[in-house]
Amino acid sequence: MADFPALQNDLLLRAARQEPVERTPVWIMRQAGRYLPEYRALRADEAFFDVVRTPALAAEVTLQPLRRFPLDAAIIFSDILVVPQAMGLRVEMIPGRGPYFPDPLRTVEDLRRLRRPDVQDALHYMLEAITLTRKALAGKVPLIGFCGAPWTLMAYMIEGGSSKTFARAKGWLYRQPEASHRLLTLLTDVLVDFLIAQIDAGAQVVQVFDSWAGVLSPDLFRAFALPYLRRIGEAVKKARPEVPRIVFARGAHASLAELADGSYDVVGLDWTVDPRQARKLTGGRVALQGNLDPCALYADPETIRQLTHQMLDAFGPRGHIANLGHGLHPDHHPDHVRAFVEAVHDYVPVTST
């Protein structure tokens, strides 16, 4: 493990552990990306996955929002679909369309095409980007590593891209449950290796994104998503107990209490969840992250400030990491992103008299 400068701002780490903080820490999902003109300028001559696979470029993109906004964390610039790539599937990023798998999994026999990669080799570029970024941050804020959840990756690998319903992938759960569990188990093993490798490369927090949890019924989520999320959280906790773990299962409202079972330190909420209700359901067992509606950033700056303060009131001052309820949109204006971040900074908690 590399020798890194001492961390100067540990607000996010303390909030993740539900320790007292001077103010609520804030970072934003997709804080590095297309809404920033400097990112668009860099991408003018570079394909998406070329940036991801070039450590110096990935580090540069990671650092861009930190130069603009007083954020309390950086998140490495990459993509959840680097894991299916490492397992043997081809993935392209099509402008205006998103991820595309030219040859997705269609039959159970297609599972033979997958391999369990050595993540140190197959995903070395992301690990190198993490180390490079951690050194460049010079202890300013912690660096977040991440991966996609097994169900979300399975959904893409079978569907062949994004979808409103993920009907093909869900069909596997009903028609081929045994094969589905085999695939989810393989993905889980790879993801555990990957997150531990990210931590060893310099990540100080890790987040698991289950972006398509919400397309599953509560029963399907409990059968095909939750057990594998738990395995990842527990395995990383056992291997690297000092590093906080965040889980963000968008739309999995019915399982908030189960997500707070100890596998993760922080549960991320999408914008459709009432923070007060989430506090009741999770019973103080975890910190919470989120959850302003990303579309609130289309409002004027003063309205953004008011909505952000209302959100912070709802969460309370302890055990909360401010964020949006999902990622930034490509057409968000940077000034409105700044309004959100600064609203978190200037918030004064309501005190009872």
Side-chain angles (χ1 to χ4, degrees):
M1 188 178 295
D3 185 22
F4 298 112
L7 184 60
Q8 301 162 32
N9 176 350
D10 65 349
L11 284 173
L12 186 140
L13 303 185
R14 284 188 281 142
R17 301 184 191 109
Q18 300 195 73
E19 297 171 1
V21 291
E22 303 81 65
R23 62 168 177 81
T24 300
V26 56
W27 70 281
I28 309 172
M29 289 181 279
R30 295 184 187 154
Q31 66 188 32
R34 290 175 290 172
Y35 75 102
L36 289 176
E38 53 267 43
Y39 172 81
R40 296 195 298 272
L42 183 148
R43 278 290 315 282
D45 300 316
E46 302 286 348
F48 175 81
F49 278 118
D50 288 342
V51 177
V52 167
R53 294 190 190 104
T54 306
L57 293 179
E60 166 61 22
V61 173
T62 301
L63 295 169
Q64 285 177 346
L66 275 294
R67 299 184 186 121
R68 278 184 175 260
F69 314 119
L71 294 156
D72 294 302
I75 181 167
I76 194 66
F77 182 77
S78 189
D79 193 271
I80 64 172
L81 298 181
V82 298
V83 169
Q85 287 177 331
M87 295 173 69
L89 295 185
R90 182 180 166 198
V91 187
E92 301 172 3
M93 196 64 69
I94 307 298
R97 176 177 173 179
Y100 170 63
F101 289 67
D103 193 14
L105 305 177
R106 285 288 184 251
T107 68
V108 173
E109 289 70 30
D110 284 338
L111 295 180
R112 297 173 185 162
R113 292 160 43 199
L114 301 178
R115 60 178 178 265
R116 180 173 177 176
D118 176 349
V119 298
Q120 295 283 354
D121 178 46
L123 294 163
H124 67 90
Y125 55 86
M126 185 170 170
L127 305 179
E128 291 169 15
I130 287 172
T131 301
L132 191 61
T133 305
R134 176 81 183 271
K135 290 179 177 177
L137 284 168
K140 181 180 179 181
V141 295
L143 177 61
I144 302 170
F146 70 92
C147 69
W151 157 248
T152 286
L153 295 183
M154 174 182 170
Y156 279 116
M157 292 162 76
I158 292 171
E159 207 73 28
S162 192
S163 166
K164 291 182 179 179
T165 64
F166 284 95
R168 284 195 181 98
K170 288 175 67 177
W172 270 53
L173 306 182
Y174 288 109
R175 292 194 312 271
Q176 305 288 352
E178 187 275 335
S180 296
H181 282 299
R182 273 197 285 139
L183 175 54
L184 291 163
T185 297
L186 174 60
L187 283 163
T188 297
D189 292 342
V190 174
L191 294 168
V192 168
D193 291 346
F194 190 29
L195 288 181
I196 292 171
Q198 289 185 50
I199 292 168
D200 291 347
Q204 293 149 290
V205 185
V206 290
Q207 175 158 316
V208 181
F209 287 86
D210 210 349
S211 304
W212 297 114
V215 304
L216 298 177
S217 69
D219 286 344
L220 282 182
F221 181 80
R222 292 184 180 109
F224 292 99
L226 184 62
Y228 300 100
L229 287 171
R230 283 174 167 161
R231 286 189 201 177
I232 292 170
E234 289 164 1
V236 175
K237 179 180 181 179
K238 181 178 180 180
R240 303 291 183 269
E242 73 284 0
V243 174
R245 300 162 314 285
I246 306 170
V247 61
F248 176 62
R250 184 173 63 147
H253 311 148
S255 294
L256 281 178
E258 292 152 297
L259 289 168
D261 67 356
S263 304
Y264 294 88
D265 301 286
V266 184
V267 172
L269 306 179
D270 66 55
W271 70 94
T272 66
V273 181
D274 182 334
R276 295 180 179 88
Q277 184 66 19
R279 287 287 189 204
K280 292 178 183 178
L281 290 170
T282 56
R285 298 188 299 277
V286 291
L288 298 177
Q289 178 174 276
N291 72 333
L292 190 69
D293 183 350
C295 289
L297 298 195
Y298 294 126
D300 62 87
E302 180 53 32
T303 301
I304 293 170
R305 181 175 179 274
Q306 293 171 7
L307 292 171
T308 302
H309 288 184
Q310 290 173 16
M311 175 195 74
L312 294 166
D313 285 340
F315 276 102
R318 189 157 178 161
H320 177 222
I321 298 167
N323 208 313
L324 301 181
H326 199 236
L328 284 165
H329 299 173
D331 61 348
H332 276 140
H333 196 288
D335 289 348
H336 291 214
V337 177
R338 175 175 293 279
F340 169 67
V341 175
E342 292 182 347
V344 177
H345 278 260
D346 68 27
Y347 172 72
V348 178
V350 175
T351 57
S352 57
T353 56

